[in-house]
């Protein structure tokens, strides 16, 4: 399907041109350009070469002769990127990803999948000097923040908020947050109730299970932040928040290793060597254990999860950090920790 309207809009914005400037250069009205970008009309064929030159692109790209990739093709390519990171290096995968985006510049689903993978891989594989890559990724988030696909748009805005906060651009972060749409209608809840009324119980269960996972994650995040505040203002409350975090995690059948997160943070903040080691001896081996959400009644409709691979990788990352990060320097002379790490990495 030709998406010339999206290409015109995207290329124009990349060049910081207004619709009026495009119109003046081509000898048409600004309203004509506006209609092109809305997709209600198309440029006259005689204007296409001049329009392509003006937008610094070629006719193949302008006319979207490169069709969008299917979801299956996108998934296959992202898997190829992951193999490339593991077998070669992150830089090689990053360049291959940029080349793919260049070949399919209007495929939001592809760009979304690629930059989310690249962002996650920066952390998962502890890539050196990650900021050089984030500087390149940020413009893609800015572009996707105006995507017509709601899920992609929401993700992009969320990442831009995180980038702004991490860079100390708090005014920008607040501007983005204040610009988020608000609605009194909960679409997901309405759909679940509708499915129940139609006796489409499995569809309804999927939504309610998703709500549970999302809700528990929100509670965990809130408790960890309350713990952080307590450590700064009222340390007596910190233990309560850590206990509550563990109870919530276990009650809602999340991976065992997660239940230790808050108490580990508390022990590390206090530089309590004995408590830290006691937690790590349980937490690190647990991170190597399989966790299949479908095994629990709360999540039996959850689709395939790659949790085992991810947590295993996180365990290796944590092991490396324990040996090298200054935050854990108080454990550096602990031979028991080195033995534990060797055992975990050997699994």
């Amino acid at each position: 399907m030709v998406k010339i309207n999206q290409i015109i809009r995207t290329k124009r914005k990349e060049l910081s041109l207004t619709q009026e400037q495009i119109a003046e250069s081509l000898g048409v009205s600004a309203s004509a350009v506006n209609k092109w970008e809305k997709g209600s009309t198309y440029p006259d064929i005689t204007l296409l070469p001049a329009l392509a030159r003006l937008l610094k692109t070629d006719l193949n790209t302008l006319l979207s002769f490169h069709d969008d990739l299917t979801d299956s093709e996108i998934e296959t390519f992202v898997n190829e990127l992951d193999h490339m990171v593991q077998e070669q290096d992150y830089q090689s995968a990053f360049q291959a990803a940029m080349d793919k985006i260049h070949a399919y510049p209007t495929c939001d689903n592809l760009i979304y999948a690629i930059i989310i993978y690249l962002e996650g891989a920066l952390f998962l594989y502890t890539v050196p000097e990650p900021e050089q890559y984030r500087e390149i990724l940020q413009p893609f988030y800015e572009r996707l923040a105006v995507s017509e696909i709601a899920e992609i748009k929401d993700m992009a805005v969320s990442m831009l908020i995180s980038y702004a906060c991490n860079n100390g651009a708090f005014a920008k972060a607040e501007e983005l947050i204040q610009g988020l749409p608000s609605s009194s209608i909960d679409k997901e809840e309405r759909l679940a109730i509708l499915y129940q009324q139609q006796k489409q119980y499995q569809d309804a269960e999927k939504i309610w299970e998703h709500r549970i996972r999302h809700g528990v994650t929100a509670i965990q995040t809130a408790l960890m932040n309350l713990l952080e505040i307590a450590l700064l203002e009222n340390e007596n409350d910190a233990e309560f928040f850590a206990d509550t975090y563990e109870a919530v995690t276990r009650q809602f059948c999340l991976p065992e290793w997660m239940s230790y997160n808050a108490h580990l943070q508390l022990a590390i903040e206090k530089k309590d060597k004995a408590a830290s080691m006691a937690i790590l001896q349980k937490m690190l081996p647990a991170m190597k254990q399989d966790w299949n959400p479908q095994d629990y009644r709360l999540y039996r409709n959850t689709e395939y999860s790659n949790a085992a691979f991810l947590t295993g990788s996180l365990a290796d990352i944590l092991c490396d950090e324990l040996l090298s990060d200054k935050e854990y320097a108080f454990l550096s002379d602990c031979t028991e920790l080195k033995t534990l790490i060797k055992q975990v990495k050997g699994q």
Side-chain angles (χ1 to χ4, degrees):
M1 175 178 162
V2 174
K3 297 181 179 178
I4 189 171
N5 63 312
Q6 295 180 24
I7 299 170
I8 294 173
R9 182 173 62 249
T10 299
K11 294 293 184 182
R12 176 179 64 78
K13 288 184 176 181
E14 287 176 356
L15 296 169
S16 300
L17 295 172
T18 65
Q19 291 181 344
E20 289 74 15
Q21 288 172 318
I22 295 289
E24 183 178 355
S25 298
L26 297 176
V28 298
S29 67
S31 63
V33 178
N34 182 264
K35 289 178 181 178
W36 297 346
E37 292 191 1
K38 287 182 176 179
S40 53
T41 64
Y42 295 97
D44 187 278
I45 192 169
T46 60
L47 293 174
L48 292 178
L51 178 58
R53 287 194 296 271
L54 183 60
L55 296 176
K56 300 188 183 302
T57 188
D58 54 62
L59 284 174
N60 282 346
T61 299
L62 186 62
L63 295 175
S64 194
F65 285 155
H66 290 300
D67 293 334
D68 284 352
L69 296 174
T70 65
D71 290 343
S72 177
E73 289 172 326
I74 291 172
E75 182 180 357
T76 298
F77 179 69
V78 171
N79 288 335
E80 289 172 359
L81 289 180
D82 191 56
H83 288 306
M84 196 176 297
V85 171
Q86 296 182 59
E87 296 172 5
Q88 299 179 38
D89 54 36
Y90 183 88
Q91 173 59 36
S92 300
F94 191 89
Q95 186 56 57
M98 294 300 106
D99 292 343
K100 196 74 166 182
I101 290 175
H102 181 73
Y104 298 89
T106 64
C107 186
D108 283 1
N109 284 320
L110 172 69
I111 298 171
Y112 168 75
I114 284 176
I115 65 172
I116 285 297
Y117 168 76
L118 291 174
E119 187 79 51
L122 282 174
F123 169 75
L124 190 61
Y125 296 107
T126 54
V127 178
E129 300 180 18
E131 290 310 313
Q132 62 176 314
Y133 298 106
R134 291 199 173 102
E135 288 180 6
I136 299 173
L137 293 177
Q138 183 167 344
F140 289 110
Y141 289 125
E142 291 169 352
R143 169 182 165 180
L144 294 179
V146 295
S147 173
E148 296 176 358
I149 303 173
E151 178 186 359
I152 292 177
K153 180 178 179 179
D154 290 346
M155 177 283 306
V157 172
S158 177
M159 289 303 301
L160 288 174
I161 292 170
S162 296
Y163 271 39
C165 289
N166 293 337
N167 293 331
F170 300 120
K172 178 63 177 176
E174 183 171 354
E175 177 187 339
L176 288 167
I177 293 170
Q178 294 290 4
L180 293 173
S182 58
S183 173
S184 59
I185 299 175
D186 190 323
K187 176 181 175 182
E188 195 175 49
E189 181 178 300
R190 292 289 184 89
L191 272 176
I193 293 171
L194 174 64
Y195 291 149
Q196 282 180 235
Q197 291 173 335
Q198 295 176 309
K199 297 185 173 17
Q200 296 175 232
Y201 297 128
Q202 188 172 18
D203 290 329
E205 286 178 348
K206 284 182 180 179
I207 293 177
W208 292 127
E209 289 176 13
H210 174 263
R211 298 278 288 209
I212 290 171
R213 295 195 305 276
H214 182 77
V216 175
T217 300
I219 291 171
Q220 288 178 308
T221 301
L223 287 168
M224 289 297 278
N225 279 282
L226 286 169
L227 170 62
E228 187 176 330
I229 294 170
L231 287 169
L232 297 171
E233 292 193 332
N234 186 357
E235 194 170 303
N236 292 330
D237 289 338
E239 193 74 38
F240 167 77
F241 292 127
D243 288 343
T244 305
Y245 181 99
E246 180 176 354
V248 167
T249 303
R250 292 188 183 280
Q251 184 66 43
F252 285 91
C253 307
L254 294 176
E256 182 189 350
W257 68 269
M258 281 189 184
S259 65
Y260 304 116
N261 269 340
H263 280 296
L264 179 61
Q265 180 175 336
L266 186 57
I268 289 170
E269 286 292 332
K270 292 182 176 181
K271 295 189 172 12
D272 186 330
K273 184 183 296 186
S276 297
M277 281 306 308
I279 294 167
L280 287 168
Q281 284 172 337
K282 292 181 287 187
M283 182 176 178
L284 285 173
M287 293 178 81
K288 290 287 188 173
Q289 295 172 1
D290 288 343
W291 180 77
N292 298 308
Q294 300 89 345
D295 293 341
Y296 302 90
R297 290 186 65 184
L298 276 175
Y299 314 117
R300 62 185 176 188
N301 292 292
T302 298
E303 295 179 357
Y304 172 77
S305 170
N306 201 21
F309 165 75
L310 290 175
T311 55
S313 298
L314 286 174
D316 293 337
I317 291 171
L318 179 55
C319 286
D320 292 339
E321 289 180 349
L322 286 166
L323 294 174
S324 60
D325 199 305
K326 292 180 181 178
E327 183 181 10
Y328 310 110
F330 70 97
L331 295 171
S332 61
D333 62 345
C334 184
T335 55
E336 192 178 9
L337 175 63
K338 293 176 182 177
T339 301
L340 174 63
I341 289 175
K342 186 176 180 180
Q343 291 172 346
V344 170
K345 284 207 160 194
Q347 289 183 25

